[in-house]
Amino acid sequence: MKTIKIKLIALLALIAFVSISCNNDDDDSSQQPQTIVSIAKANPNLTSLVAALEKADLATTLNTSGYYTVFAPTNTAFSVFLTANGYANLNAVPVPALKEILLNHVLITKVKSTEITTGYVKTLSKRSASSSNTISMYLEKGSGVDINGGKTNGGATVTTADVEASNGIIHIVDGVIRLPTIVNHAVANKNFTTLVAALTFNPSSGFAGILSGTASSPFTVFAPTNAAFTSFLTETGFSGLAAIPANVLETTLKYHVVAGANVQSTALTNGQVVSTFAGQNFTIGLTGGAKITDASDRVSNIVATDVQCANGIIHVIDKVLLPNF
């Protein structure tokens, strides 16, 4: 009898162990990360995003295996976007346009907030159907993360970071990130504050407006940094932008722009003569690194390339190009 009792106790203990193990398995299963779309569907603040993804036929893509980073606008962000662009609702947004806007919120890699550094990344959005270069996004890492200069510049700020998903990660943002123009990207990057000041210094020229729009686009802009402008002012003896005659400043700025072409760095060739918006040429050199020889026989280095915008592309240079006057 004693042996039977011991065996019965052992059997009950085994049953209890199996039951607990199964319950733990169930708990572990319920705690497994869901897909990006599943998480968005469960969040009442992301219903507009889910509706937009479904309308643009992107929900399936973000519900599959792989690794994505999604900057997810809230319902409020979508409401502001629709009002600002004159749309009555999501159904009023043309599907092709909506698709590119949504893809402009997606990176094809998983990037946690701790891994974000200030600089450019590539989204999945394209400037045009025939373009092979996807739109660039500028991330600025400070106490938080700003995207393309924040809401006032058509970008956004991360409000909730690192929502883990089985196929990537979600960062919730406070704005719908519009496709950035050349001016949007210039404003977003603090290394271009002098360039932005120069573009807007003489509003009557309308130059900033030209580079913000699509007329005559696409544009290729060789953008001097702040340090380049400082050196330029020292070299030319001007005390500041205000001291530069308006016609000189305008011609100089136009000398950095190629109208009607989206010239990627891979299309630059050694000895290539480039015709600019100012009606003057400069020459590309590739020996010892990409560089430009301007009309004054000065050499500028191309220090960063292929910042893709919705209306053109930016290459960064370390000197202000000087045309003939």
Side-chain angles (χ1 to χ4, degrees), residues 32-40 62-64 66-70 110 112 162-171:
Q32 290 297 314
Q34 297 175 295
T35 65
I36 289 167
V37 172
S38 296
I39 291 172
L62 296 179
N63 210 33
T64 57
Y67 285 104
Y68 302 95
T69 297
V70 174
K110 179 179 177 179
K112 296 181 179 180
D162 299 329
V163 181
E164 290 277 356
S166 60
N167 61 340
I169 199 162
I170 300 171
H171 304 300

Side-chain angles (χ1 to χ4, degrees), residues 24-189:
N24 285 342
D25 288 343
D26 290 343
D27 291 342
D28 289 344
S29 176
S30 65
Q31 292 173 6
Q32 290 297 314
Q34 297 175 295
T35 65
I36 289 167
V37 172
S38 296
I39 291 172
K41 285 182 176 180
N43 188 328
N45 289 318
L46 299 179
T47 55
S48 294
L49 172 61
V50 172
L53 290 171
E54 291 176 344
K55 175 179 170 64
D57 198 25
L58 291 174
T60 301
T61 300
L62 296 179
N63 210 33
T64 57
S65 60
Y67 285 104
Y68 302 95
T69 297
V70 174
F71 296 93
T74 60
N75 295 341
T76 300
F78 268 99
S79 179
V80 171
F81 164 77
L82 293 172
T83 300
N85 289 278
Y87 295 121
N89 49 47
L90 275 175
N91 288 330
V93 185
V95 171
L98 181 62
K99 182 176 182 179
E100 293 308 319
I101 289 169
L102 292 171
L103 289 174
N104 193 47
H105 293 71
V106 183
L107 314 181
I108 196 166
T109 184
K110 179 179 177 179
V111 184
K112 296 181 179 180
S113 61
T114 53
E115 298 169 335
I116 291 175
T117 57
T118 298
Y120 295 101
V121 294
K122 288 290 191 177
T123 72
L124 294 186
S125 180
K126 292 184 177 181
R127 182 183 65 82
S128 67
S130 60
S131 174
S132 61
N133 197 19
T134 51
I135 298 290
S136 299
M137 173 185 286
Y138 187 72
L139 300 175
E140 184 174 12
K141 182 71 172 291
S143 56
V145 176
D146 285 334
I147 303 161
N148 291 353
K151 281 197 299 184
T152 58
N153 193 46
T157 297
V158 173
T159 56
T160 302
D162 299 329
V163 181
E164 290 277 356
S166 60
N167 61 340
I169 199 162
I170 300 171
H171 304 300
I172 298 175
V173 297
D174 63 359
V176 172
I177 306 164
R178 73 186 185 198
L179 302 181
T181 65
I182 287 168
V183 172
N184 288 143
H185 263 315
V187 170
N189 189 334

Side-chain angles (χ1 to χ4, degrees), residues 10-31:
L11 179 60
L12 291 173
L14 178 61
I15 292 171
F17 174 77
V18 171
S19 177
I20 292 170
S21 298
C22 289
N23 287 336
N24 285 342
D25 288 343
D26 290 343
D27 291 342
D28 289 344
S29 176
S30 65
Q31 292 173 6

Side-chain angles (χ1 to χ4, degrees), residues 234-321:
T234 300
E235 178 185 355
T236 56
F238 293 117
S239 58
L241 291 177
I244 304 175
N247 66 314
V248 172
L249 182 59
E250 183 172 338
T251 300
T252 300
L253 290 172
K254 287 182 176 180
Y255 191 52
H256 292 74
V257 178
V258 178
N262 189 89
V263 183
Q264 297 182 38
S265 59
T266 52
L268 299 176
T269 58
N270 195 45
Q272 180 179 3
V273 177
V274 177
S275 180
T276 72
F277 199 29
Q280 299 185 44
N281 302 334
F282 60 69
T283 304
I284 298 293
L286 298 180
T287 304
K291 54 183 64 67
I292 296 170
T293 301
D294 63 24
S296 301
D297 207 32
R298 297 158 64 259
V299 177
S300 171
N301 296 301
I302 302 175
V303 295
T305 60
D306 299 327
V307 179
Q308 185 63 60
C309 313
N311 65 338
I313 197 165
I314 297 172
H315 306 299
V316 185
I317 56 177
D318 66 357
K319 276 188 180 180
V320 174
L321 305 176

